[in-house]
Amino acid sequence: MYNAKAYSAAGATSPLASAKIARRDPTEHDVQIDILFCGICHSDLHQARDEWHDGFPTVYPCVPGHEIVGRVTRVGSAVAKFKPGDLAAVGCLVDSDRTCPNCQAGLEQFCPHATFTYNSPDKHLGGVTYGGYSDSIVVDEAFVLRVPSNLDLAGTAPLLCAGITTYSPLRHWGVTKGKKAGVVGIGGLGHMAVKLAHALGAHVVVFTTSPGKKDDALRLGADEVVISRNADEMRRHAGSFDFILDAVAAEHDINAYIQLLRRDGNITLVGAPAKPLPVAVFGLIFARRSFSGSLIGGIAETQEMLDFCGAHNITADVEVIPIQKVNEAYERLLCSDVKYRFSIDMASLKSE
Ligand SMILES: [Zn+2]
Ligand SMILES: [Zn+2]
């Protein structure tokens, strides 16, 4: 074991603060990574504050962070994929049982025994896993991703959650050239969905409540922007979409979007409103439309996404901050005051 520097929450109402945590020395299959950047995901805030208490209670101290990019410093004797000096990335998963039907299908995110990057039982040291708000992390090589060398590293970090969360449903539902894809909401997830759907060749339409976001949506790769409060504008697109990705976590009228799908069209939710949504089922029945959800992606697909981003030079739009500004960043996240993701420059942790 060794001590690593980190920022952790001591309780649901405590701000994140500098702390020391124990990390395991690399076992034969492990890779030790010096963390260079870690993105801030909204689920970091939810878990640091124990807001998912009912389903996924937080164990303190809590070190959030699952959008990790860094450089390999040490590898175990059996590690074949990485050597010291390589760039490497870690997303939301650091292990799984590797035997269940989901793991066999390469869908480790649905494994009933998945080990998440933080706040998940730690098989090696006991207690819970600690995430990327830290100077280093040790992860089994099977859950470590390769990073294309051409990408900006601060903007690459958010690909590990926001990127794969949007890439996976776009691929699953066949978004490609000749398809019309909608993206509802442009925040951390939505802005990635726009870039990725555009690079996949689809005709991309962004739905937003704020006319002020129109120019930015076009810059990100949208072909059209619809102000969702304008019923006439919405009606013009009725029955025309192959796929809509809904990234809004706030309460909103899902039925207005279902009406925009063509026959067999699908709307997938990746934002999770706290209250159950009222769905008008006739909207689904009459055109065999479907309504679904999606959760990050498996390890193979996460690598595919990173390689795709490398080939198309896609990264997240980030505001880089030092770790000392993380509590302020959380407050700004609550009022969507970021374009479009915070990325923590982990070099700032060295002075703690
Ligand atoms: Zn996340
Ligand atoms: Zn499994």
Side-chain angles (χ1 to χ4, degrees):
M1 279 199 325
Y2 71 98
N3 278 329
K5 288 183 177 179
Y7 253 55
S8 74
T13 56
S14 339
L16 291 158
S18 182
K20 286 264 169 43
I21 53 168
R23 297 281 194 197
R24 68 179 183 268
D25 287 311
T27 66
E28 59 176 346
H29 294 289
D30 282 335
V31 175
Q32 183 174 334
I33 300 164
D34 252 5
I35 301 175
L36 298 173
F37 292 96
C38 184
I40 297 181
C41 173
H42 212 116
S43 36
D44 297 351
L45 185 156
H46 285 306
Q47 290 188 73
R49 298 181 178 181
D50 200 16
E51 290 171 355
W52 291 346
H53 184 82
D54 293 340
F56 204 37
T58 301
V59 177
Y60 292 97
C62 172
V63 178
H66 57 205
E67 296 183 335
I68 299 166
V69 168
R71 205 170 279 283
V72 174
T73 51
R74 277 206 281 175
V75 298
S77 57
V79 168
K81 239 166 63 178
F82 294 94
K83 59 180 189 318
D86 288 350
L87 289 172
V90 178
C92 306
L93 298 165
V94 289
D95 210 346
S96 70
D97 61 21
R98 310 182 196 202
T99 54
C100 76
N102 295 311
C103 289
Q104 295 292 315
L107 299 168
E108 298 88 354
Q109 74 271 35
F110 304 123
C111 177
H113 306 109
T115 305
F116 293 97
T117 304
Y118 62 88
N119 195 35
S120 204
D122 185 331
K123 289 178 196 169
H124 297 265
L125 298 181
V128 292
T129 51
Y130 295 132
Y133 297 4
S134 175
D135 58 4
S136 70
I137 192 165
V138 178
V139 179
D140 188 300
E141 72 164 330
F143 288 79
V144 181
L145 291 312
R146 292 180 308 276
V147 178
S149 59
N150 58 311
L151 296 179
D152 168 69
L153 295 182
T156 297
L159 299 179
L160 278 300
C161 177
I164 186 61
T165 297
T166 50
Y167 181 84
S168 183
L170 289 169
R171 294 280 289 144
H172 182 77
W173 293 99
V175 171
T176 183
K177 201 170 166 55
K179 303 282 182 173
K180 184 172 173 182
V183 176
V184 186
I186 40 172
L189 292 172
H191 98 288
M192 283 312 311
V194 174
K195 291 186 184 204
L196 292 166
H198 174 74
L200 287 164
H203 181 86
V204 183
V205 181
V206 163
F207 297 93
T208 176
T209 51
S210 24
K213 286 193 175 170
K214 188 165 182 170
D215 287 346
D216 225 23
L218 295 170
R219 177 186 65 79
L220 293 167
D223 297 286
E224 295 179 65
V225 180
V226 171
I227 305 305
S228 54
R229 291 202 173 107
N230 183 328
D232 283 341
E233 265 191 70
M234 291 287 277
R235 239 188 320 271
R236 270 197 282 125
H237 291 270
S240 69
F241 281 85
D242 297 285
F243 176 75
I244 296 176
L245 189 85
D246 187 332
V248 175
E251 224 174 303
H252 60 294
D253 178 17
I254 195 75
N255 298 304
Y257 295 102
I258 289 173
Q259 291 303 332
L260 304 189
L261 296 170
R262 62 167 64 229
R263 190 197 72 230
D264 290 324
N266 170 269
I267 180 165
T268 290
L269 268 65
V270 288
K275 269 211 271 173
L277 292 169
V279 177
V281 176
F282 273 114
L284 299 173
I285 288 174
F286 270 88
R288 201 165 55 187
R289 295 160 172 145
S290 64
F291 175 65
S292 57
S294 189
L295 174 74
I296 49 173
I299 294 301
E301 192 174 47
T302 304
Q303 187 63 61
E304 178 190 304
M305 176 275 305
L306 284 169
D307 294 343
F308 180 84
C309 288
H312 295 268
N313 209 18
I314 293 172
T315 54
D317 286 18
V318 290
E319 178 178 335
V320 178
I321 59 161
I323 188 84
Q324 291 79 7
K325 290 233 164 117
V326 69
N327 294 302
E328 193 184 304
Y330 276 17
E331 293 311 310
R332 288 180 53 198
L333 201 57
L334 288 173
C335 37
S336 304
D337 175 23
V338 57
K339 278 187 174 170
Y340 283 93
R341 203 76 156 172
F342 289 109
S343 186
I344 306 168
D345 181 353
M346 220 45 79
S348 58
L349 190 54
K350 293 196 198 305
S351 63
E352 294 282 340

